[in-house]
Amino acid sequence: SVPIVAAHPGIFTVSANGVGQAIATDNADGAIASATHPIQIGSYLIVWCTGLGSVDAAGNTLATPTVTIGGVPATLIYSALSPQYVGEYLVAVQVAPGTPTGNAVPLQIQVAGETTLGNVTVAVGGPTKALFIRHRRCRIR
């Protein structure tokens, strides 16, 4: 027998094995948030992931995910299918004040009662004043 679930999230990683540095990009310049380019508190991060479940006609996820960085909930901007890659989702969040800083801060997504494992990380730096650049075909919720 095989269990059927509404969603089973997973975050893509640089190592391509689901462990370590997330493929999570700085919305301002598209760079992966890494030790050499940490995402700043207050900035917008795009998390590249899979398994977020059903979407509406516009590609937005029906279930609303929760993203935590270092255990601190990030502010959700949108959650939708990627316009470029089949089966890949983009989750945009703003890094919240109080998020821990460091080169390997745990990054997790919870959706439809399922949570990613705690073995994916992102580099987080100090605070900044950031603007959100809205990408084509993405909707703000």
Side-chain angles (χ1 to χ4, degrees):
S1 76
V2 178
I4 304 294
V5 294
H8 190 71
I11 300 170
F12 292 107
T13 60
V14 172
S15 62
N17 66 3
V19 176
Q21 174 67 53
I23 296 180
T25 54
D26 185 328
N27 183 69
D29 61 13
I32 291 178
S34 65
T36 58
H37 189 296
I39 191 71
Q40 303 299 308
I41 293 171
S43 291
Y44 297 91
L45 183 69
I46 308 297
V47 182
W48 295 72
C49 53
T50 190
L52 299 186
S54 299
V55 296
D56 64 19
N60 298 304
T61 60
L62 296 179
T64 302
T66 301
V67 176
T68 59
I69 304 171
V72 176
T75 303
L76 181 69
I77 306 301
Y78 68 81
S79 173
L81 281 172
S82 165
Q84 296 116 333
Y85 305 107
V86 174
E88 213 168 291
Y89 295 81
L90 303 176
V91 177
V93 296
Q94 184 176 27
V95 181
T99 299
T101 59
N103 290 337
V105 179
L107 172 68
Q108 289 186 287
I109 296 175
Q110 180 181 36
V111 64
E114 299 286 327
T115 305
T116 57
L117 299 175
N119 52 2
V120 176
T121 62
V122 66
V124 180
T128 189
K129 291 183 180 179
L131 298 175
F132 181 75
I133 301 168
R134 187 172 176 185
H135 293 277
R136 204 181 321 164
R137 230 190 130 259
C138 297
R139 300 202 175 168
I140 297 176
R141 288 187 159 201

